[in-house]
Amino acid sequence: MSFDWMQGTWLLGVDWLIRLAALFWIPSRTTPAAARSWLLLVGFVPLLGLPLYLLFGHPWLSRERVRRQANASEVIRVEQAGMTALRWTPPADTEAAEVAPLVERLGDFMPTRGNSVQLLDHYDASLKVLIADIDAARERVHLLYYLMFDDPVGDAIVASLIRAAARGVRCRVLLDAVGAKRGLRRYAQPLRDAGVTVHDMLPGGLRWRRSGRMDLRNHRKIAVFDTTVGYVGSQNLALPEFVPGFPNRELVARVEGPVVGHLQAVFASDWYIETGERLDVAVTYPVSDADIVTQLLPSGPAYPYENARDAVNSLIHVAQRKLVLTTPYFVPDDATLSALRIAALSGVDVQLILSESNNQRLTAWAQESYYDELLRCGVKIALYRPHFLHAKHLSVDEDIALIGSINLDIRSFALNAEIGMLCYDRGVVGRLREVEADYLADATVLSLEAWRARPGWRRAREGVARLADSFM
């Protein structure tokens, strides 16, 4: 009995030691909101909560990766200094005059004129155009994607890369080690045998300590061909039904002009961060007669700030008339939630377009916990029905659009490497509004009264899921 008593006392002491250590340690290493979630978990199950926090609680990257990103950012800023003819200066007293300087300081890229932007809203057609551009490439093909599956789409992309390599095109492929695990397992060796260079990004296993926290991911979707064409958006390299029961709807921008060089620079930066190899990036790119102004916004834990969150919040704050946000995952932090509330209460027409179906159950429950507050302050919420709406974009008034891979959740803001492209152009915003109207035509519009009539057990489920927002 004495031994059992001593053992119980020892375990109780360890239990409380973990709780007290976490109380003083965790708040100093993470945001208050995230700290509350982790302290709650550690308080309930200390022996489980502490190991989980050590693995997933702090979005750390290796010092070498942070150093390489800083080096890449410096090169990008220096190279742009001599391109004054391409720089666009926004008119004073406009929304762009507030947003563009912030985005440049955060993500390094200046706004450039002389671009063309084609929005591709059809899944299969977008892939066909992408493969056609691979087949048309003469010097270089660079692909950077979060997800690639071993399915007919993967087969078609690989076949086009092998054809390109056979005619002497230099092909490089970067794929996220987790998101593209199936594609890497099936295609990496055949591609290498054909002369295509393939690297996985943020690898796990025994190599994870040389990269960063195990669940940090590169979520970007970028393609660059020669100096002529680039792609940025939400679409991965897989069939739309790669998650059974959730066929995806996406939005991709096919671009020409100086922005292609900027996409090339993002690819070269990620290549350097993963491999240590510095790629030669062409300095001059053909200017398009369309003369659309664009600006890239890369973000991720290698940067000093949460670029995506800060830029999105700035766009919300500058909106004066209409703001439309489309995202598959909506788990905002306090700053973003506050920005949306202020915009709606200030009289801005704020429309949030989400997917009625969702392949992430916990995320879906958590995002539902925000609906009551948003509806109460005047935010309109529409749930798109026909597909899993995986597109990620935002439009501000008639002048600014943001298109890319950025979700409106804490994971995209703090943990993933993401890419967005801002377009300061009424024509692009008008085209995007047509896409948004198409979503709304097939959507269920929520009302505050109907939402509050949901069962109590759903409210409880939403509240519990929301406590886990920092773990998503």
Side-chain angles (χ1 to χ4, degrees):
M1 292 294 292
S2 176
F3 175 77
D4 290 342
W5 179 84
M6 291 179 61
Q7 187 179 42
T9 303
W10 181 81
L11 288 173
L12 182 63
V14 171
D15 190 78
W16 276 102
L17 181 62
I18 292 173
R19 287 190 174 101
L20 291 172
L23 182 62
F24 287 98
W25 187 36
I26 291 177
S28 67
R29 295 171 59 84
T30 188
T31 63
R36 285 193 292 271
S37 297
W38 283 108
L39 288 173
L40 184 64
L41 179 62
V42 173
F44 272 104
V45 279
L47 294 178
L48 175 64
L50 181 61
L52 286 176
Y53 176 78
L54 293 175
L55 287 173
F56 303 114
H58 184 63
W60 67 272
L61 275 176
S62 68
R63 292 180 180 177
E64 180 60 17
R65 283 177 175 268
V66 174
R67 184 189 68 80
R68 288 180 180 180
Q69 178 61 69
N71 289 346
S73 293
E74 179 62 24
V75 170
I76 289 168
R77 289 192 294 267
V78 169
E79 289 293 332
Q80 288 181 121
M83 301 179 183
T84 54
L86 295 174
R87 174 182 285 276
W88 176 72
T89 301
D93 301 323
T94 63
E95 294 98 327
E98 295 186 43
V99 173
L102 170 68
V103 171
E104 183 171 357
R105 294 186 189 107
L106 291 171
D108 307 318
F109 290 102
M110 68 182 185
T112 60
R113 60 176 72 252
N115 303 288
S116 72
V117 178
Q118 178 187 6
L119 299 186
L120 304 174
D121 184 39
H122 190 279
Y123 199 104
D124 293 336
S126 174
L127 288 170
K128 288 179 181 177
V129 175
L130 178 71
I131 291 171
D133 281 327
I134 297 175
D135 287 333
R138 292 293 173 262
E139 298 175 5
R140 224 174 14 244
V141 169
H142 287 166
L143 302 181
L144 189 166
Y145 280 86
Y146 168 68
L147 186 149
M148 184 179 189
F149 265 34
D150 51 345
D151 62 14
V153 170
D155 292 344
I157 295 292
V158 168
S160 65
L161 287 169
I162 291 174
R163 290 193 298 269
R167 63 178 183 269
V169 177
R170 187 70 176 91
C171 299
R172 297 181 178 92
V173 177
L174 281 172
L175 296 171
D176 183 81
V178 173
K181 183 177 181 179
R182 285 174 51 177
L184 285 163
R185 185 168 52 229
R186 177 167 173 178
Y187 301 126
Q189 196 56 53
L191 284 170
R192 289 167 181 150
D193 292 343
V196 178
T197 308
V198 181
H199 283 287
D200 55 345
M201 298 181 288
L202 293 165
L206 296 177
R207 294 182 290 169
W208 74 274
R209 288 189 60 81
R210 296 204 304 270
S211 55
R213 195 175 109 176
M214 294 176 66
D215 65 332
L216 300 185
R217 304 271 42 97
N218 193 315
H219 193 242
R220 294 169 180 157
K221 294 95 174 166
I222 294 173
V224 185
F225 308 112
D226 300 333
T227 61
T228 54
V229 177
Y231 287 73
V232 60
S234 64
Q235 189 167 345
N236 288 293
L237 303 180
L239 288 170
E241 302 87 0
F242 67 86
V243 178
F246 298 93
N248 283 22
R249 182 168 182 180
E250 310 283 359
L251 186 72
V252 176
R254 182 183 184 272
V255 298
E256 299 177 19
V259 68
V260 177
H262 289 180
L263 288 171
Q264 191 75 271
V266 175
F267 180 92
S269 298
D270 278 356
W271 188 271
Y272 171 59
I273 290 169
E274 291 297 335
T275 70
E277 179 187 2
R278 297 173 182 261
L279 301 180
D280 291 329
V281 177
V283 177
T284 58
Y285 287 77
V287 175
S288 168
D289 293 336
D291 202 27
I292 294 171
V293 176
T294 67
Q295 184 177 26
L296 285 192
L297 173 70
S299 65
Y303 288 90
Y305 306 104
E306 293 185 9
N307 295 1
R309 181 200 64 183
D310 292 348
V312 166
N313 287 349
S314 175
L315 288 166
I316 295 171
H317 282 301
V318 301
Q320 297 179 13
R321 294 172 296 281
K322 187 174 181 63
L323 174 69
V324 183
L325 308 99
T326 302
T327 181
Y329 308 117
F330 180 76
V331 185
D333 61 3
D334 290 342
T336 306
L337 191 64
S338 175
L340 289 170
R341 183 174 62 247
I342 291 169
L345 292 174
S346 299
V348 178
D349 180 5
V350 181
Q351 175 72 68
L352 184 61
I353 305 176
L354 307 172
S355 184
E356 188 171 76
S357 60
N358 198 307
N359 64 347
Q360 301 289 338
R361 187 166 297 178
L362 186 62
T363 300
W365 296 341
Q367 76 180 27
E368 289 176 351
S369 70
Y370 297 94
Y371 292 174
D372 189 287
E373 178 180 353
L374 291 170
L375 290 168
R376 185 159 31 93
C377 66
V379 174
K380 301 173 184 175
I381 301 176
L383 304 180
Y384 178 74
R385 294 186 303 267
H387 304 88
F388 174 46
L389 184 57
H390 191 249
K392 310 134 194 311
H393 47 84
L394 184 157
S395 58
V396 178
D397 297 335
E398 301 80 30
D399 309 300
I400 306 177
L402 173 64
I403 303 161
S405 68
I406 301 167
N407 295 311
L408 299 182
D409 64 1
I410 296 169
R411 167 158 288 280
S412 265
F413 287 170
L415 304 180
N416 289 343
E418 304 282 6
I419 185 69
M421 180 181 70
L422 289 102
C423 300
Y424 305 97
D425 183 84
R426 286 176 172 260
V428 174
V429 174
R431 171 71 180 103
L432 192 58
R433 286 281 158 79
E434 293 174 1
V435 174
E436 294 162 352
D438 191 53
Y439 298 156
L440 293 171
D442 284 316
T444 299
V445 178
L446 295 183
S447 69
L448 182 59
E449 295 74 20
W451 183 247
R452 286 182 170 175
R454 70 197 186 282
W457 63 266
R458 286 189 59 180
R459 298 170 185 258
R461 182 180 69 181
E462 294 159 11
V464 173
R466 183 165 174 169
L467 290 174
D469 61 356
S470 298
F471 312 142
M472 296 176 185

